[in-house]
Amino acid sequence: MSGPLEGITVLDMSRVLAGPWAGQLLADLGARVIKIEHPKRGDDTRGWGPPWLGQGDSPQEHDLERVAAYYLCANRGKQSLAVDIASEQGQALIRQLAEGADIVLENFKVGGLARYGLDYPSLHKLNPRLIGCSITGFGQDGPYAHRAGYDFMIQAMGGLMSLTGEPDGMPMKTGVAITDVMTGLYATVGVLAALQERARTGLGQHIDVALLDVQVATLANQALNTLVSGASPQRHGNAHPNIVPYQAFACADGHLVLTVGNDAQFARFASLLGHPEWAEDPAYATNAARVGNREALVPMIQSRLLNRQRDEWLADLEARGIPAGPINSLAEVFEDPQVCHRKMQRTLTSGGRDVPQVANPLRFDGESATSDVAPPGIGQDSDRILTEMGLTQDDILRLRNAGVVR
């Protein structure tokens, strides 16, 4: 299937997660994404292991390039051009590519590309249709603009950690670099909007995406809880600040998550527990009442759920249309019948080895928007790209011998 972005060319000059996540999504949507990497180091995440693909913990187990699982999560569908942008020849190659590109993604520190003459204003002069997207920790301006930003730190500064964890425990980060992922998604939305604007005006524009901005924006209801009440929300562990019962509960042999979203569901749940009168009690009949009386209600629910096994409860809850689910390990996630049916685990082939992947969740007319091209090795596509740019094999050899390309 050809993707909706077929014919669009992206220079992905980003590293680690937020920028590459955006680049991978654009590749899944059909764009040609050229990943610009340092000839020796490549993307930082190539070395963020173990685990290593197919090698256990030893890089000597076989001859294939050692690659960390981390790198594989965000670089599907791309071509790799390994070029040293610190060299004048490397800079010239990037400028030539930018002249024919539609989008450039980068996550250098503010001003970092300007010293090479590869910042957006410089490239935009060469190609007025070029769309630039800069991803930084704190944005292109402001008192923190010069600082480096990392997901963990931004979760702390942006308030997410203050909301996560048990009430009497340490504030916690999420188990996934969620700010990076969300920043990649916002960056993609911005790029797609800029493409639509360019279709009307013929001109590209610059998109400034900051991790801290994204973290604050995605506080969602908790941000408005603060702005409306004037008070910072407290941590509720696995409970919800605005809905009850909406949390994890222990059963006789494990745990489940119960997400009762309205009063009708609560009435059915109360009946299942053998206490239909709860649904008529003014202390519990409405969600607002249940939130106000959670300290009394939750222990009563918990005591009853301990009397049976998890899967027995889950079967009865499903039969009554009461939303609930098990707390799965990641291994269990990829064995889940629904996840398997939706083919969320994929396997791509590259260099004679299988590369596991997680599918793009978007589907167009029933077809998954997931590239079938595995994440590239460092400089895997350099010769092809440089040849398409008009360089001869002698030209490429000279650049390679000079350490400009790989």
Side-chain angles (χ1 to χ4, degrees):
M1 174 180 102
S2 62
L5 294 185
E6 185 175 4
I8 296 296
T9 298
V10 180
L11 299 187
D12 184 356
M13 299 180 69
S14 64
R15 297 92 64 207
V16 188
L17 187 54
W21 195 266
Q24 177 171 269
L25 182 50
L26 294 169
D28 280 343
L29 294 175
R32 181 190 185 191
V33 179
I34 301 174
K35 184 175 180 67
I36 307 300
E37 302 190 75
H38 190 278
K40 294 182 180 179
R41 299 187 301 272
D43 191 307
D44 296 348
T45 59
R46 289 183 181 274
W48 284 10
W52 312 106
L53 177 63
Q55 294 190 344
D57 291 332
S58 172
Q60 286 78 37
E61 287 182 18
H62 55 67
D63 295 332
L64 295 175
E65 177 187 335
R66 183 177 77 162
V67 59
Y70 200 120
Y71 167 79
L72 298 175
C73 83
N75 290 286
R76 175 179 62 239
K78 304 177 185 180
Q79 300 173 344
S80 174
L81 171 60
V83 55
D84 182 6
I85 66 170
S87 69
E88 291 185 2
Q89 292 169 302
Q91 293 160 17
L93 291 174
I94 298 299
R95 292 190 190 98
Q96 184 178 344
L97 283 169
E99 288 180 5
D102 299 282
I103 300 156
V104 59
L105 298 174
E106 59 93 2
N107 64 348
F108 284 73
K109 289 183 180 180
V110 174
L113 284 175
R115 59 178 172 167
Y116 303 126
L118 300 178
D119 55 310
Y120 179 72
S122 298
L123 297 180
H124 188 250
K125 289 178 182 178
L126 300 174
N127 177 5
R129 291 177 55 81
L130 184 67
I131 294 164
C133 182
S134 297
I135 298 173
T136 57
F138 300 98
Q140 298 296 303
D141 50 38
Y144 301 163
H146 64 284
R147 297 184 184 179
Y150 292 88
D151 178 279
F152 187 9
M153 181 176 71
I154 299 298
Q155 287 193 39
M157 296 180 68
L160 183 60
M161 286 182 64
S162 76
L163 305 171
T164 309
E166 294 299 328
D168 56 352
M170 179 181 290
M172 299 294 291
K173 68 178 180 66
T174 63
V176 172
I178 194 65
T179 308
D180 275 344
V181 172
M182 291 299 296
T183 299
L185 293 174
Y186 269 99
T188 303
V189 171
V191 164
L192 295 178
L195 282 172
Q196 177 65 15
E197 175 73 6
R198 191 183 71 174
R200 291 196 297 266
T201 67
L203 296 174
Q205 56 188 304
H206 183 247
I207 303 159
D208 172 8
V209 189
L211 270 67
L212 183 60
D213 293 352
V214 169
Q215 180 56 82
V216 173
T218 54
L219 292 172
N221 61 298
Q222 291 285 42
L224 269 293
N225 287 345
T226 300
L227 297 177
V228 168
S229 70
S232 295
Q234 302 301 304
R235 294 191 299 281
H236 290 276
N238 285 318
H240 196 287
N242 304 112
I243 311 172
V244 174
Y246 199 102
Q247 66 183 77
F249 287 97
C251 303
D253 64 340
H255 293 80
L256 59 77
V257 164
L258 184 67
T259 55
V260 173
N262 57 54
D263 297 338
Q265 290 175 1
F266 179 73
R268 297 196 297 273
F269 178 59
S271 179
L272 173 61
L273 294 186
H275 288 277
E277 71 278 6
W278 289 353
E280 305 298 327
D281 188 331
Y284 312 124
T286 66
N287 180 68
R290 293 192 293 274
V291 170
N293 293 286
R294 73 165 77 222
E295 292 186 4
L297 178 60
V298 168
M300 292 192 297
I301 294 173
Q302 178 61 89
S303 67
R304 284 151 184 80
L305 290 177
L306 284 170
N307 293 330
R308 298 176 65 199
Q309 294 186 336
R310 184 194 72 175
D311 289 349
E312 293 175 343
W313 281 121
L314 288 173
D316 284 346
L317 289 164
E318 181 176 1
R320 288 163 175 79
I322 303 165
I327 301 176
N328 287 330
S329 68
L330 293 199
E332 290 170 330
V333 166
F334 290 107
E335 295 173 352
D336 182 277
Q338 182 67 20
V339 174
C340 292
H341 175 81
R342 299 286 288 182
K343 296 182 173 61
M344 289 303 297
Q345 180 178 352
R346 301 296 177 90
T347 301
L348 305 179
T349 302
S350 176
R353 64 181 171 189
D354 290 339
V355 181
Q357 290 285 282
V358 178
N360 187 313
L362 296 175
R363 293 189 178 196
F364 293 87
D365 293 332
E367 293 290 330
S368 173
T370 304
S371 173
D372 59 3
V373 177
I378 300 176
Q380 174 180 302
D381 305 284
S382 293
D383 281 10
R384 172 186 170 187
I385 295 168
L386 295 172
T387 299
E388 291 174 354
M389 293 170 63
L391 277 71
T392 67
Q393 287 301 310
D394 287 342
D395 294 332
I396 296 171
L397 182 60
R398 281 194 294 271
L399 290 173
R400 184 164 288 127
N401 289 339
V404 176
V405 301
R406 173 174 172 176

